[in-house]
Amino acid sequence: VIRMSPRFRVLFAIPIATLGLVAFAGPAAASAPGAAAAPSSVSLRAGLNDTKDPNIAILEFLPSSFKVAKGTKVTWSFAGPEPHSVTFTAPGQPRPNIVTDESLAAPMPPTGPYDGQSFVNSGVLPTGESSSVAKFSMTFSTPGTYTYYCVLHPNMDGTVQVTDDTQDSQKQITKTGNSQLAKWESEGEAAKAKLVKTKSKPIANTDGSTTYTVQMGASTPHTDVLAFSPTPQKLKTGDHVTFVNNSDAPHTASFGGKLVPTDPNAANVVSAVPGASPQTLVASTYINTGWLLPKSSGLPEPVRSFTFDVPDAGKFTYACVLHLPSGMAGELDAN
Ligand SMILES: [Cu+2]
């Protein structure tokens, strides 16, 4: 046993105490054992369209859930073209839907770090025909689990888990988001392949004309296919084409080429123009189904359908105003 004299103990004590003070006051003290150093910001995607086929909109946050430490800035990017929102409701508040509340298109950002007690909304992004990626950021102040959703796609929801000090790395968030994206893209591509093979079901009428059916889009649990099923090949003067919405999204079939409005919420897009089904097509005239609501609305098929009579030979182009940015359009060629 080596005994130190009282004088030596004092000499040793000074540097150790000094080191201890430095360590306590320095940045090392912030890392408790086992806690990863918290990055100050993370980002993820709020849906996007399939990079190989813009007709396929992925209706999921990528990833659908992640974990952050309080104080971390979270940024959602909206590449579109199908728009989405990041929307948090206050405790007990029902989820408002843009079909019944148009004001949800506008942003209502948090006034400071978010504690889960108020309504917060990114608004619908990206806006207009902008091709740039829109962003929305917020910081969480209070540990807990917060769910959020998209006001346009009520089944599209995500979860943020806020902790005191642990969180997923940006690398983990990106990796999980990418693997979910690949899965949902395959799901959407299979549904698109099926939609483009859908026959137009010709029905022979007693007057010698034929009525064909065109399906408006298709839906899977995680995607919307924003395309029409193939238009009839043998369409003749006097025939009829019935558009029917059996998908989970609202759609329109709007004829008139450049006369078709681009704002989905315009009164002459929401309502049928010039009136209820059936309507006779007139070249270079705006004729619109109005919003045909999704199958999930519970409305019977005739209410989700609209018939056009084809009076003349010619080409009649049509588009869905709600999904123009995703390329939802078609053409009737009558002989
Ligand atoms: Cu549509």
Side-chain angles (χ1 to χ4, degrees):
V1 177
I2 299 165
R3 288 187 170 188
M4 276 196 246
S5 73
R7 195 169 66 92
F8 263 99
R9 270 183 229 154
V10 170
L11 280 173
F12 271 104
I14 293 162
I16 289 167
T18 307
L19 278 171
L21 248 166
V22 167
F24 191 76
S31 294
S40 57
S41 67
V42 293
S43 64
L44 70 153
R45 287 183 283 203
L48 86 159
N49 289 44
D50 189 324
T51 48
K52 298 179 284 300
D53 185 348
N55 285 163
I56 298 166
I58 310 300
L59 310 181
E60 290 293 333
F61 299 99
L62 303 162
S64 58
S65 69
F66 59 97
K67 185 161 72 176
V68 288
K70 64 186 180 189
T72 306
K73 180 180 168 188
V74 178
T75 299
W76 285 266
S77 65
F78 302 77
E82 174 66 5
H84 301 286
S85 79
V86 165
T87 307
F88 292 82
T89 52
Q93 180 188 3
R95 290 182 166 187
N97 187 314
I98 203 154
V99 174
T100 50
D101 185 356
E102 254 186 65
S103 73
L104 296 169
M108 195 182 282
T111 50
Y114 186 63
D115 63 4
Q117 298 303 305
S118 58
F119 179 79
V120 160
N121 180 22
S122 66
V124 169
L125 296 169
T127 52
E129 287 170 40
S130 162
S131 58
S132 62
V133 176
K135 290 185 192 301
F136 176 73
S137 299
M138 55 195 282
T139 299
F140 296 84
S141 64
T142 312
T145 300
Y146 305 100
T147 60
Y148 62 101
Y149 75 111
C150 167
V151 295
L152 284 164
H153 308 106
N155 293 330
M156 175 173 170
D157 55 17
T159 304
V160 186
Q161 193 188 338
V162 180
T163 71
D164 277 314
D165 52 11
T166 61
Q167 69 174 51
D168 297 334
S169 67
Q170 179 64 64
K171 198 175 164 186
Q172 281 173 293
I173 289 171
T174 302
K175 192 179 165 193
T176 310
N178 285 344
S179 81
Q180 290 177 355
L181 173 62
K183 205 159 45 163
W184 310 147
E185 283 183 340
S186 304
E187 183 183 293
E189 286 160 14
K192 169 81 183 284
K194 197 177 159 197
L195 181 68
V196 300
K197 278 189 227 146
T198 304
K199 296 278 193 300
S200 56
K201 281 198 243 169
I203 298 165
N205 300 309
T206 50
D207 65 1
S209 70
T210 305
T211 299
Y212 297 92
T213 303
V214 171
Q215 300 290 330
M216 308 169 86
S219 298
T220 71
H222 309 96
T223 74
D224 266 337
V225 179
L226 303 171
F228 294 96
S229 71
T231 46
Q233 295 298 302
K234 294 173 183 166
L235 194 63
K236 287 185 178 61
T237 302
D239 285 346
H240 315 274
V241 181
T242 298
F243 286 78
V244 56
N245 185 2
N246 281 317
S247 80
D248 291 340
H251 298 290
T252 72
S254 308
F255 289 81
K258 287 181 175 139
L259 299 173
V260 173
T262 55
D263 174 9
N265 295 308
N268 65 348
V269 173
V270 175
S271 303
V273 174
S277 174
Q279 290 293 327
T280 301
L281 292 173
V282 180
S284 305
T285 302
Y286 174 58
I287 302 176
N288 169 50
T289 58
W291 281 33
L292 296 183
L293 292 181
K295 195 173 187 177
S296 53
S297 65
L299 293 169
E301 189 170 305
V303 183
R304 293 180 277 110
S305 302
F306 199 105
T307 299
F308 295 94
D309 303 328
V310 183
D312 301 306
K315 293 183 196 302
F316 301 90
T317 61
Y318 57 92
C320 169
V321 179
L322 282 77
H323 303 117
L324 268 177
S326 296
M328 188 167 180
E331 183 180 287
L332 296 179
D333 291 338
N335 295 305

